[in-house]
Amino acid sequence: MNVLDRKRYYVNVESGEIHPDKTASGFEFEIEATDRDVIELKKLFDECDRSATKTFWRAHVPFLEYHNDQSNDEYDEAMKKIYKMIHDLGQPETREHIESMGILD
């Protein structure tokens, strides 16, 4: 796919929403993506949701520490993948903001 196949989308990481209309919902980041990119980003959001559910249940086990839990590692890795993809597809302002967060380091 080439640059001409890309469309503008607006992404809210917290809710996992990706919209072609910036007025449809609040958004944090603006990206230009192909249909295939949007499908991949949605899969990453789903992966993150599954990991978040696991961490919810882990939180109810008082003796298991955050840094010693596979579920938390999976969640953190999924979030990094999401931000990496948004960074790669993002507008200059989006890339700068994500870089300033230090999440990709």
Side-chain angles (χ1 to χ4, degrees):
M1 300 220 162
N2 62 40
V3 176
L4 299 175
D5 295 329
R6 293 178 181 250
K7 297 178 233 168
R8 191 157 295 187
Y9 292 92
Y10 303 89
V11 180
N12 183 318
V13 173
E14 183 178 348
S15 66
E17 295 176 300
I18 307 165
H19 293 286
D21 179 6
K22 73 193 264 181
T23 62
S25 180
F27 69 94
E28 301 162 297
F29 301 108
E30 185 176 323
I31 63 172
E32 287 194 7
T34 64
D35 293 341
R36 176 183 253 159
D37 293 330
V38 171
I39 290 168
E40 183 62 29
L41 188 55
K42 286 180 182 180
K43 286 180 184 177
L44 290 174
F45 278 126
D46 289 343
E47 178 183 329
C48 191
D49 285 344
R50 284 190 300 277
S51 296
T53 300
K54 290 179 191 176
T55 63
F56 170 79
W57 293 112
R58 191 240 18 112
H60 293 83
V61 179
F63 59 86
L64 189 57
E65 299 170 326
Y66 181 91
H67 62 280
N68 289 327
D69 182 43
Q70 181 65 29
S71 299
N72 290 325
D73 294 340
E74 290 172 9
Y75 177 82
D76 292 346
E77 189 60 34
M79 288 302 293
K80 285 181 184 177
K81 288 178 185 176
I82 288 169
Y83 279 107
K84 171 85 169 93
M85 186 166 193
I86 292 170
H87 176 272
D88 293 347
L89 299 172
Q91 300 297 306
E93 300 83 16
T94 295
R95 290 192 300 272
E96 287 175 19
H97 180 77
I98 291 173
E99 288 166 10
S100 75
M101 294 168 65
I103 195 166
L104 302 179
D105 297 336

